[in-house]
């Protein structure tokens, strides 16, 4: 459920008409709903009620300071994967002890910044990275808390570009080698092993892969404890999917996911961390775009809209489906027609949807791309010299621009001309 609903034929974000925001900021833009962000965070928090836990929002999904602050004030920790994300989380007021540092290639500099600024734990992805964390910690006279990300060799049954838990993927260490890698960690004086980490992929629409992975984590916890390691924290990653196509998708709910966690791992008495990104932000955001032209092609009509693949890359990159709805609700009984919905970028890949059934639209009409809050604005680029589009946050009947649209000059003047030109 989200807070983007029609009222008297007009699409609203909470209590604000989308058309009012469009008039104020221009199109295209992203709009997020505070109530939806908070609702999704609470669903996870409540799903783990009764267990010692921390929901660490995977801020790669949507990392605007205002979004981070909204979630942090509700009690969220953060999962970060770069120095930039770490510094953003800190700037939004998240204390170091609520930030976990994931990512497959942390540099010595990133490790130093996180250790000195405060960190809950590093999720270590390889032995060489472990050696570097140890070295940096010793150099600073500190001890770095770590988990080791194990790769459970489970098929997440999701898009190949976002599956991470198979042995051929670049992530984590094979679970079969965990014993020896934990022994190495225990021998390094700059490290304190606090637990195990595991993340198998994103947009999972079935709980079974999670079950298989978590059962392996449970078994590994017992094995490592028997070896003398003090495993007291389990970071279970993110990955729970969302309904992108509302008419025919119903992925498992956070409460079911929480129950699975309790069933598979509850007996171990560990503190549980989860790192959801998409489920918190995805359906809390829309991309709003305007129809520039309706073009009649060979046997098909194109809606050429002012948003493009540089603003929302998911359809081009993952063949992802986003529901697209008109901001002005069609009158009941209006007949739909198929459209190819495309952006103005000079690539055929700049196609959001093919033969999508929509009520007739005309130049100037506003449309909303649903489920665009996660991996939308954060993956945008300025390809075709199209400035990054603004982000807007709604809170009840208020809205605020939380990232401005840069002026063309600002974008152009970031280039510098060498003196020989
Ligand atoms: N933890 C780790 C270590 C991750 O790598 C990820 C996502 C998450 C948590 C959050 O997963 P989520 O709950 O959002 O599924 N750009 C792609 C998704 C990439 C996901 C990368 N890792 C997309 O637009 O579908």
């Amino acid at each position: 459920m989200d807070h983007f609903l029609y009222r008297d034929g007009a699409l609203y974000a909470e209590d604000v008409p989308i058309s009012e925001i469009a008039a104020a900021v221009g199109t295209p833009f992203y709009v997020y709903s505070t109530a939806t962000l908070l609702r999704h965070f609470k669903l996870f928090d409540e799903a783990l009620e009764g267990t010692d836990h921390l929901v660490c929002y995977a801020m790669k999904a949507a990392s605007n300071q205002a979004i981070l602050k909204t979630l942090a004030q509700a009690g969220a920790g953060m999962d970060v994967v770069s120095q930039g994300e770490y510094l953003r989380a800190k700037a939004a007021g998240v204390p170091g002890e609520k930030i976990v540092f994931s990512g497959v290639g942390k540099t010595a500099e990133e490790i130093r910044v996180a250790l000195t600024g405060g960190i809950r734990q590093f999720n270590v992805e390889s032995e060489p990275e472990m050696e570097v964390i140890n070295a940096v910690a010793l150099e600073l006279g500190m001890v770095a808390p770590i988990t080791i990300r194990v790769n459970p060799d489970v098929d997440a049954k999701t898009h190949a570009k976002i599956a991470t838990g198979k042995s051929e993927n670049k992530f984590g260490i094979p679970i079969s080698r965990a014993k020896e890698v934990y022994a190495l960690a225990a021998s390094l004086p700059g490290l304190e092993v606090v637990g195990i980490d595991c993340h198998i992929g994103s947009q999972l629409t079935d709980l079974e892969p999670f079950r298989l992975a978590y059962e392996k984590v449970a078994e590994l916890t017992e094995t490592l404890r028997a070896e003398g390691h003090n495993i007291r924290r389990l970071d279970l990653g993110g990955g729970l999917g969302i309904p992108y196509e509302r008419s025919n998708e119903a992925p498992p709910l956070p409460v079911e996911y929480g129950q699975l966690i309790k069933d598979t791992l509850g007996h171990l008495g560990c503190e549980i961390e989860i790192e959801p990104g998409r489920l918190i932000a995805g359906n809390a955001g829309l991309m709003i775009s305007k129809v520039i032209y309706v073009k009649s092609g060979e046997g098909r009509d194109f809606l050429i809209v002012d948003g493009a693949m540089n603003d929302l890359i998911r359809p081009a990159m993952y063949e992802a489906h986003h529901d697209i709805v008109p901001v002005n609700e069609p009158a009941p009984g209006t007949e739909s027609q198929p459209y190819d919905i495309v952006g103005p970028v000079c690539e055929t890949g700049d196609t959001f949807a093919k033969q999508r059934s929509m009520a007739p639209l005309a130049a100037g009409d506003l449309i909303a791309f649903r489920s665009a809050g996660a991996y939308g604005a954060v993956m945008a680029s300025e390809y075709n010299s199209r400035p990054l589009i603004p982000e807007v946050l709604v809170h009840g009947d208020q809205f605020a621009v939380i990232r401005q649209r840069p002026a063309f000059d600002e974008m152009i003047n970031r280039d510098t001309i060498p003196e020989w030109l």
Side-chain angles (χ1 to χ4, degrees):
M1 206 210 93
D2 61 42
H3 291 76
F4 301 111
L5 298 170
Y6 289 106
R7 284 189 205 169
D8 298 328
L11 188 62
Y12 275 64
E14 302 190 16
D15 298 327
V16 183
I18 295 286
S19 56
E20 191 180 317
I21 307 174
V25 306
T27 55
F29 63 92
Y30 280 99
V31 56
Y32 307 97
S33 149
T34 299
T36 313
L37 287 166
L38 290 175
R39 177 172 187 276
H40 292 163
F41 167 71
K42 283 194 191 119
L43 287 178
F44 279 114
D45 207 28
E46 287 166 12
L48 293 175
E49 222 164 64
T51 23
D52 189 7
H53 69 274
L54 184 65
V55 179
C56 295
Y57 169 61
M59 62 177 277
K60 61 167 76 67
S63 57
N64 189 289
Q65 295 281 289
I67 293 175
L68 302 186
K69 206 156 191 150
T70 299
L71 294 169
Q73 282 180 357
M78 297 288 152
D79 169 49
V80 308
V81 292
S82 70
Q83 185 168 343
E85 285 197 348
Y86 176 82
L87 294 175
R88 259 175 198 272
K90 289 297 291 271
V94 185
E97 69 263 22
K98 287 179 124 177
I99 303 177
V100 303
F101 205 138
S102 302
V104 79
K106 302 170 207 70
T107 66
E109 177 59 14
E110 290 181 313
I111 294 161
R112 194 170 295 114
V113 166
L115 265 179
T116 44
I119 192 79
R120 182 176 181 83
Q121 93 227 5
F122 293 100
N123 293 331
V124 176
E125 294 252 1
S126 66
E127 285 140 299
E129 185 188 67
M130 186 187 286
E131 305 267 3
V132 173
I133 297 174
N134 177 58
V136 174
L138 290 178
E139 178 194 306
L140 294 169
M142 299 175 82
V143 174
I146 65 151
T147 70
I148 297 174
R149 177 170 178 180
V150 294
N151 186 327
D153 195 20
V154 164
D155 183 353
K157 300 199 171 66
T158 185
H159 192 283
K161 282 186 186 156
I162 52 176
T164 56
K166 283 291 285 173
S167 56
E168 74 249 29
N169 299 130
K170 69 180 176 183
F171 300 96
I173 56 141
I175 200 161
S176 53
R177 291 191 49 237
K179 246 165 90 167
E180 64 182 278
V181 182
Y182 270 88
L184 171 67
S187 74
L188 299 174
L191 304 181
E192 186 195 2
V193 173
V194 298
I196 303 173
D197 173 46
C198 170
H199 169 83
I200 56 172
S202 195
Q203 186 53 18
L204 273 71
T205 52
D206 179 2
L207 288 182
E208 216 35 44
F210 285 119
R211 177 186 303 282
L212 293 173
Y214 297 168
E215 280 168 359
K216 290 191 181 188
V217 169
E219 199 185 314
L220 180 64
T221 304
E222 315 243 22
T223 309
L224 293 175
R225 281 180 170 168
E227 300 275 307
H229 301 284
N230 182 6
I231 304 297
R232 54 189 184 276
R233 187 180 289 171
L234 301 176
D235 183 332
L236 303 174
L240 193 59
I242 63 171
Y244 277 100
E245 198 169 345
R246 287 174 193 224
S247 53
N248 67 13
E249 283 176 350
L253 302 172
V255 66
E256 297 167 308
Y257 173 68
Q259 192 56 48
L260 171 74
I261 291 174
K262 291 177 188 171
D263 291 348
T264 49
L265 300 158
H267 60 288
L268 297 165
C270 285
E271 181 183 14
I272 300 293
E273 287 167 0
I274 53 171
E275 303 170 350
R278 189 188 314 264
L279 202 145
I280 291 180
N283 282 329
L286 307 177
M287 184 179 80
I288 308 299
S289 184
K290 192 161 67 185
V291 177
I292 312 175
Y293 297 114
V294 183
K295 172 172 161 173
S296 295
E298 194 80 57
R300 61 182 62 212
D301 285 343
F302 293 96
L303 279 185
I304 303 173
V305 302
D306 62 0
M309 65 187 289
N310 69 298
D311 305 311
L312 176 65
I313 203 172
R314 302 194 69 260
M317 192 153 177
Y318 313 109
E319 296 84 36
H321 172 100
H322 285 262
D323 281 348
I324 303 172
V325 297
V327 167
N328 287 322
E329 197 177 23
T334 309
E335 253 187 57
S336 293
Q337 69 159 97
Y339 286 109
D340 280 12
I341 303 176
V342 301
V345 161
C346 304
E347 293 199 23
T348 304
D350 187 21
T351 297
F352 290 119
K354 282 194 174 150
Q355 295 298 286
R356 184 71 66 88
S357 185
M358 306 277 294
L361 285 157
D365 287 345
L366 296 175
I367 56 171
F369 291 77
R370 286 193 170 276
S371 313
Y375 308 111
V378 286
M379 294 182 78
S381 75
E382 290 180 340
Y383 185 39
N384 276 210
S385 285
R386 295 166 47 89
L388 291 182
I389 66 175
E391 295 179 282
V392 173
L393 182 64
V394 169
H395 181 227
D397 60 3
Q398 310 173 61
F399 73 91
V401 175
I402 56 173
R403 189 181 70 193
Q404 300 280 347
R405 189 190 308 277
F408 283 102
D409 276 354
E410 265 173 86
M411 178 178 71
I412 294 164
N413 293 337
R414 276 205 304 273
D415 301 352
T416 49
I417 309 291
E419 59 188 25
W420 65 81
L421 287 176

